[in-house]
Amino acid sequence: MKHKPEQEKAPLFDALLAHRQRSCANFHVPGHKQGSAFDEKSKSWFSPLLELDLTEVGELDDLHDATGVIQDAELLAADLFRADRTFFLVGGTTAGNLASVLALCRPGETLIVGRNCHQSVFHACMLAGALPVYLSAGVDDDGQERPLDPEVLEQVLRLHPDAKGVVLTSPTYWGLVQPVAELAKVCHRYGVPLVVDEAHGAHLGFAPGLPPSAMDGGVDVSIQSTHKMLSSMTMSSMMHLKGSRINADEVAHWLKVIQSSSPSYPLMASLDVTRRMMATKGEAALVELLSRLQDFRGNIKALRHLSERRPPGLRDPLKLSLTAGQGVTGYQLSEWLASQGVYTEMADHEAVLFVFTMGTTPTDLVRLTEALRRLDKVVPLLPKTKPGHPPSLPQWRKADLSWAQLRRRPKRRVPLQQAVGMIAAEMIVPYPPGVPLVLPGERLTEAGIDYITDVIHAGGRVRGIRHEGEVPTLTAIE
């Protein structure tokens, strides 16, 4: 992919450097005055960044009313990521999820939401007062989530013609890429926008061998955690818009409401230079990485007890999910690897997840291969647990209570094992990946509580569950 000459520029980053050279006296915030006042024991670590930690002075523009170098940087990003408009985010993809839902929905309006969405999408529904219809793809015989069926989405849109939009996640945390182009066509036939939380997909579409991006699939909004799969700093993301089905000015308004009025210039500048790197070197770096990963996967095929768990449908090759089966949990695998200094992205009751990026070096892959060979020998010695599986869910459903009703009903803490038949007042979220298992307003089932119990016993963490002594409890409504 040949880049345009202007993509070699980094207008925001260059403006920061120019201001640093030009400034001879600083009488504005932040208080550390470009590192002049800072903890001495840690200053050497922070010092280079502190010089760029500035505010809206001189030619540095304003994120919330961009007319200069920030606008220039966002325009370059929009061009590279094939969008009509791009917003820099300093509150992560969470900020984009919140703004998109608030821009789409007024209180009481219907929104179709994938059940596997990140919890920030459900927080957005809460803030907007939306009435969500939950969409589920279900799981295959191995317990892995299937891709969404466009025909099911069409059925739900037909039954809910008042829906203001559809919000889905692609890729999933585990690397499943949804059939975005088909889903977008269905949405557009019914005149509603498709918003995709693409937090783990900022790299998609940049090299042969990678699935296409959501923007390339014709979605209306894509929100990407540029810091996750590319190289910007943590909390920095981008929100890409295409077409007129969602009002860009409304999105901009809600981003002003949600995000800090003192945005971090180092975060924004890291987005600017990451875009430049992707334009000039991204494809070559990703092609090289994909080649190394192909060799790596070949090297671990000989393992006796560990094997790759592949999600059904299209998948992201930069994610690797390993399972040992035989009653050995992903938590155990992750814990053993951590004892060897090898840290993974996440684990569940069955598998452990590895994330590869352009920052993954050949040495990293050699070390991981060696660690997995040692782990493969240890697997038969690890304690076995009863495998747990998430309960089956309908393809779509409405909550038993709306978000507005939930706010008005009295709530109380209930021991987990006594909550069957009650209505959840909070999200129950195994974390990571931050995908709710039970949503507010849904009735708790015996199968759901059994799975939550299995996750806890297997060493997992579940948000929405508190431990009072040794008794797990949750907030519920009679």
Side-chain angles (χ1 to χ4, degrees):
M1 187 192 325
K2 188 175 180 181
H3 67 270
K4 300 175 182 177
E6 56 265 30
Q7 287 290 346
E8 297 185 14
K9 301 175 182 177
L12 177 54
F13 177 69
D14 290 343
L16 284 170
L17 296 183
H19 183 86
R20 175 178 170 274
Q21 294 295 323
R22 187 167 53 247
S23 175
C24 62
N26 177 342
F27 299 102
H28 54 77
V29 297
H32 61 71
K33 302 291 185 181
Q34 293 179 272
S36 296
F38 206 77
D39 175 67
E40 287 299 327
K41 291 184 178 180
S42 61
K43 187 174 180 179
S44 62
W45 294 95
F46 285 90
S47 187
L49 200 59
L50 293 175
E51 294 187 43
L52 301 182
D53 187 23
L54 292 161
T55 189
E56 296 91 343
V57 294
E59 303 298 319
L60 297 186
D61 207 358
D62 179 353
L63 176 65
H64 299 300
D65 186 23
T67 57
V69 292
I70 294 178
Q71 182 186 57
D72 293 342
E74 289 179 334
L75 286 170
L76 286 169
D79 178 63
L80 183 68
F81 288 90
R82 283 86 70 194
D84 291 341
R85 184 166 181 182
T86 291
F87 293 96
F88 282 3
L89 306 177
V90 293
T93 293
T94 290
N97 286 340
L98 295 174
S100 59
V101 172
L102 287 163
L104 284 174
C105 289
R106 302 293 178 270
E109 293 181 335
T110 300
L111 186 70
I112 297 169
V113 179
R115 265 201 88 89
N116 67 343
C117 283
H118 187 264
Q119 57 186 327
S120 59
V121 173
F122 302 103
H123 290 154
C125 291
M126 186 184 304
L127 291 173
L131 295 174
V133 175
Y134 303 129
L135 189 64
S136 173
V139 296
D140 64 12
D141 293 339
D142 294 325
Q144 295 193 74
E145 187 178 25
R146 293 192 297 257
L148 285 165
D149 185 345
E151 292 184 6
V152 173
L153 175 59
E154 182 148 18
Q155 176 190 0
V156 173
L157 283 167
R158 193 162 50 242
L159 292 170
H160 298 89
D162 58 339
K164 296 299 179 180
V166 177
V167 183
L168 303 174
T169 299
S170 180
T172 66
Y173 216 126
W174 294 95
L176 169 65
V177 179
Q178 302 289 358
V180 171
E182 296 175 61
L183 296 167
K185 288 177 183 177
V186 172
C187 289
H188 297 163
R189 277 203 300 272
Y190 286 83
V192 300
L194 173 58
V195 176
V196 172
D197 177 344
E198 201 176 19
H200 287 262
H203 61 298
L204 298 185
F206 272 100
L210 289 175
S213 71
M215 278 283 105
D216 292 334
V219 308
D220 302 274
V221 181
S222 162
I223 309 117
Q224 299 175 337
S225 293
T226 318
H227 66 95
K228 280 186 166 69
M229 300 303 293
L230 299 184
S231 58
S232 66
M233 293 174 64
T234 297
M235 282 184 67
S236 60
S237 294
M238 295 188 194
M239 185 176 189
H240 307 297
L241 276 61
K242 183 179 286 186
S244 58
R245 292 182 185 87
I246 188 166
N247 189 313
D249 291 336
E250 189 77 1
V251 169
H253 163 75
W254 284 111
L255 286 174
K256 289 180 186 178
V257 173
I258 292 162
Q259 298 200 104
S260 171
S261 58
S262 300
S264 164
Y265 272 82
L267 291 186
M268 292 187 289
S270 77
L271 288 171
D272 192 23
V273 296
T274 294
R275 183 270 316 151
R276 177 170 66 183
M277 186 182 77
M278 290 307 297
T280 57
K281 299 181 179 179
E283 181 177 0
L286 285 167
V287 167
E288 183 179 351
L289 173 63
L290 289 168
S291 176
R292 293 200 303 264
L293 290 178
Q294 187 174 17
D295 292 341
F296 166 76
R297 283 183 162 95
N299 290 335
I300 65 171
K301 275 187 177 179
L303 298 176
R304 294 183 60 192
H305 304 289
L306 295 170
S307 59
E308 183 171 5
R309 184 178 70 170
R310 297 171 180 263
L314 191 60
R315 67 187 183 99
D316 177 8
L318 302 197
K319 297 287 184 72
L320 172 72
S321 172
L322 285 185
T323 181
Q326 307 169 10
V328 175
T329 69
Y331 306 117
Q332 291 170 287
L333 302 178
S334 180
E335 184 178 348
W336 188 92
L337 287 166
S339 74
Q340 307 295 301
V342 176
Y343 292 91
T344 61
E345 174 67 17
M346 62 166 283
D348 67 7
H349 61 289
E350 288 185 339
V352 61
L353 180 67
F354 303 82
V355 175
F356 306 110
T357 72
M358 292 180 293
T360 303
T361 67
T363 300
D364 291 334
L365 294 178
V366 169
R367 288 173 177 165
L368 178 56
T369 301
E370 293 171 350
L372 292 176
R373 285 171 177 162
R374 297 195 300 272
L375 174 57
D376 196 55
K377 296 176 182 178
V378 172
V379 165
L381 306 177
L382 295 175
K384 307 302 186 288
T385 62
K386 177 186 175 183
H389 294 281
S392 60
L393 297 165
Q395 289 182 318
W396 67 272
R397 64 168 296 177
K398 280 187 176 180
D400 295 281
L401 294 179
S402 70
W403 293 91
Q405 290 172 314
L406 281 169
R407 295 185 66 180
R408 294 193 293 265
R409 296 281 288 271
K411 307 167 184 64
R412 64 186 181 92
R413 299 297 302 180
V414 180
L416 179 61
Q417 295 300 325
Q418 298 177 22
V420 175
M422 301 184 74
I423 292 174
E426 296 178 352
M427 285 181 278
I428 309 298
V429 190
Y431 201 95
V435 175
L437 175 69
V438 182
L439 295 166
E442 290 191 314
R443 203 168 292 278
L444 291 147
T445 65
E446 185 174 356
I449 287 175
D450 286 346
Y451 176 67
I452 295 167
T453 302
D454 287 344
V455 170
I456 294 170
H457 287 169
R461 294 177 294 124
V462 185
R463 290 188 179 179
I465 299 294
R466 298 180 197 168
H467 293 269
E468 300 178 3
E470 294 186 1
V471 179
T473 65
L474 53 79
T475 304
I477 297 168
E478 296 285 357

